[in-house]
Amino acid sequence: MQTFETTLTVIQKDLDELNHVNNIRYVEWVQDIAKAHWLKNASPKITKEYYWVMLSHYIEYKSSALLNDVIKLKTYVINSEGVTTTRIVEIYNDAEKLLAKSETNWCLISSETKRPARITPEIIDLFS
């Protein structure tokens, strides 16, 4: 399974009133890294023909992230079947401590019809 990673630094606008990263920010990071992984691997032709929509989202919070923490986001696809795929996102601090883990289900959509599209072997290979 092919993984994609990126890092970021926690900034003031990421924080909530408790001075740790707001839960909504983690959800945004999950969506952002999924999109970045797709855009990195898929050709312009494929990204013009298809896009993904999130169907369901589960996230388990393990520990807090704080201002100026360097965060590593790691994602990979664990299953693709029919029109859906399951993606994992792991979020670590710079000490490699797992802060949160997400499992999301996505549906591939045809840009032309705006309806679900069967995931092709070519698209599966992008993440294998």
Side-chain angles (χ1 to χ4, degrees):
M1 128 188 59
Q2 186 248 65
T3 63
F4 177 75
E5 294 182 11
T6 190
T7 59
L8 58 91
T9 301
V10 175
I11 59 175
Q12 186 65 43
K13 76 174 193 169
D14 297 326
L15 303 180
D16 61 17
E17 64 278 356
L18 302 174
N19 286 321
H20 59 66
V21 173
N22 188 306
N23 293 352
I24 297 302
R25 222 32 210 124
Y26 286 99
V27 175
E28 290 172 338
W29 291 342
V30 166
Q31 186 165 322
D32 291 348
I33 193 171
K35 182 177 181 180
H37 191 199
W38 167 247
L39 294 175
K40 177 188 174 286
N41 288 13
S43 69
K45 178 184 182 297
I46 291 174
T47 60
K48 184 176 180 180
E49 292 177 5
Y50 302 102
Y51 60 92
W52 296 94
V53 294
M54 189 184 294
L55 298 176
S56 65
H57 177 83
Y58 172 78
I59 190 164
E60 183 177 5
Y61 300 98
K62 303 269 192 185
S63 191
S64 299
L66 306 171
L67 185 62
N68 298 320
D69 282 355
V70 176
I71 304 298
K72 178 173 78 173
L73 297 111
K74 175 181 174 182
T75 189
Y76 47 93
V77 172
I78 59 170
N79 184 44
S80 294
E81 189 174 320
V83 299
T84 63
T85 193
T86 303
R87 174 180 290 277
I88 301 295
V89 175
E90 299 168 351
I91 302 172
Y92 297 90
N93 66 13
D94 58 353
E96 295 293 322
K97 181 178 181 180
L98 182 64
L99 303 177
K101 184 174 182 179
S102 171
E103 181 173 309
T104 52
N105 292 303
W106 300 80
C107 182
L108 186 66
I109 303 292
S110 163
S111 296
E112 181 181 335
T113 66
K114 308 294 189 259
R115 300 190 45 84
R118 183 163 291 281
I119 301 169
T120 66
E122 179 184 21
I123 291 173
I124 290 172
D125 288 346
L126 295 175
F127 304 105
S128 300

